[in-house]
Amino acid sequence: LVKDARGKLRSEIAKREKLLTNLISDRKGHGDAEQWKRIGDLLLASAGTAENRDGTIRVIDLYDEAQPEIDIKAEVNATVTEAAEAYFRKYTKARNAEKEIASRIAQVEKELEALRKRSARLEAAIEAEDDDEIRSFTGGKKQQGSQTKSEKKASTGGFARSFLSSDGFEILVGKKAKDNDYLTFRAAKSLDTWMHAADYPGSHVVVRNPGRKEIPQRTLHEAAQLAAFYSQGKKQTKAAVHYTEKKFVNKPRGAAPGLVSLSKFKTLLVEPVFPDISND
């Protein structure tokens, strides 16, 4: 499943990169539009005095303060005026191509940026072992058929791991990206404490606070350790963890599963190790 998902994304990225290379090459092939116009102007200015000698027309470069003589290539049998018209046609073609190709390059670069962001989301899903999220990158749907025991558990509330802090507070840790959304926006209450590793993809963590008490510092530290441990920063010596009340956590419109924004938060720096607590 991972191979298929990565392969599909890499193929799409490779196609855009090849197209971008071709577009840049095509634009370069049309030459500098302003240079063609400049040559055309010089030829017209010299139409009464210059001559075409075997495909070369010598003119004075009026755009250069020193006004040196320069040679301009032309068709062997073309008059100076005809040569000027040919360069003006090249100017028009290059100018129009520049506008069109620039628009296409911008579109392809935008598509590449979106694909690279999708690739980053895929890698986060792979790290979290989120099969459903990974499958969505292949164009597939969630597997149908009889549910296993673990799947039945997930459909009835197995969206999070449950722990009990040293002070007796329940700590919930989301399992997958979609579980994170469910935990944060459906299961958590507005005054519950919400946590997430600051700089790495990982699980959302919620400290239940049904009594609306002040969460002890020891419980906050244990929950922060869980947030760091269940994130891609678990191999770091120290990891920063943002925490806030759930009411300050928002879901941006169109954001991927698990992605949120915080309107207010504090930060704890903890060692990403499993704390000395038990499963609830």
Side-chain angles (χ1 to χ4, degrees):
L1 186 62
V2 168
K3 182 179 179 181
D4 288 346
R6 280 176 171 160
K8 185 173 181 180
L9 266 178
R10 287 170 180 169
S11 176
E12 290 297 319
I13 290 173
K15 287 179 183 177
R16 300 307 192 287
E17 288 177 337
K18 183 177 180 181
L19 177 57
L20 185 61
T21 298
N22 291 340
L23 286 171
I24 293 173
S25 177
D26 190 20
R27 180 172 63 181
K28 185 178 180 181
H30 285 286
D32 184 347
E34 292 305 315
Q35 178 66 8
W36 300 144
K37 183 178 183 300
R38 176 175 172 173
I39 292 174
D41 288 339
L42 290 175
L43 287 170
L44 279 185
S46 305
T49 57
E51 294 181 1
N52 185 344
R53 296 183 179 180
D54 298 323
T56 300
I57 303 173
R58 178 161 292 182
V59 301
I60 296 175
D61 187 354
L62 302 175
Y63 289 97
D64 190 325
E65 291 183 0
Q67 295 192 354
E69 288 187 333
I70 60 172
D71 291 333
I72 297 173
K73 297 295 182 181
E75 291 292 331
V76 175
N77 298 320
T79 65
V80 176
T81 300
E82 289 171 340
E85 291 173 351
Y87 276 101
F88 282 130
R89 285 194 295 271
K90 292 179 72 173
Y91 157 70
T92 301
K93 187 176 181 180
R95 181 193 62 188
N96 294 340
E98 169 63 28
K99 184 176 180 180
E100 175 64 23
I101 293 173
S103 176
R104 293 181 66 192
I105 285 176
Q107 179 60 34
V108 173
E109 288 178 336
K110 184 177 179 180
E111 292 172 2
L112 268 173
E113 181 181 3
L115 285 168
R116 285 166 180 153
K117 287 181 179 179
R118 278 176 56 79
S119 182
R121 282 175 49 204
L122 171 60
E123 293 306 316
I126 293 170
E127 177 70 18
E129 298 181 358
D130 189 340
D131 291 354
D132 287 342
E133 180 72 3
I134 297 169
R135 189 171 287 108
S136 71
F137 284 86
T138 67
K141 297 181 179 179
K142 185 176 181 179
Q143 289 181 324
Q144 302 297 316
S146 60
Q147 288 183 312
T148 64
K149 182 178 180 180
S150 61
E151 287 172 334
K152 290 179 180 178
K153 182 180 178 182
S155 67
T156 57
F159 54 88
R161 305 170 182 87
S162 180
F163 304 94
L164 196 65
S165 79
S166 299
D167 302 296
F169 287 81
E170 183 183 18
I171 303 173
L172 298 178
V173 179
K175 293 181 178 180
K176 302 178 181 179
K178 292 180 181 178
D179 294 335
N180 283 337
D181 278 355
Y182 186 92
L183 171 61
T184 298
F185 298 107
R186 297 186 64 180
K189 304 301 182 183
S190 63
L191 295 181
D192 288 345
T193 296
W194 180 95
M195 293 187 175
H196 189 275
D199 302 310
Y200 303 95
S203 296
H204 291 192
V205 172
V206 169
V207 182
R208 293 284 201 184
N209 190 10
R212 300 186 177 185
K213 305 174 183 177
E214 182 178 352
I215 305 295
Q217 192 64 33
R218 180 171 57 177
T219 291
L220 289 176
H221 187 82
E222 290 168 349
Q225 284 185 308
L226 287 171
F229 181 80
Y230 286 103
S231 78
Q232 290 186 21
K234 65 181 296 182
K235 296 182 180 179
Q236 303 300 313
T237 304
K238 292 284 186 178
V241 175
H242 291 330
Y243 70 100
T244 187
E245 290 183 334
K246 182 268 172 184
K247 62 183 179 181
F248 297 118
V249 184
N250 304 292
K251 184 73 174 177
R253 184 186 298 272
L259 293 181
V260 300
S261 64
L262 307 179
S263 57
K264 176 182 178 181
F265 64 88
K266 296 179 181 178
T267 303
L268 283 172
L269 190 64
V270 299
E271 186 179 359
V273 297
F274 196 89
D276 186 18
I277 57 176
S278 62
N279 289 79
D280 186 9

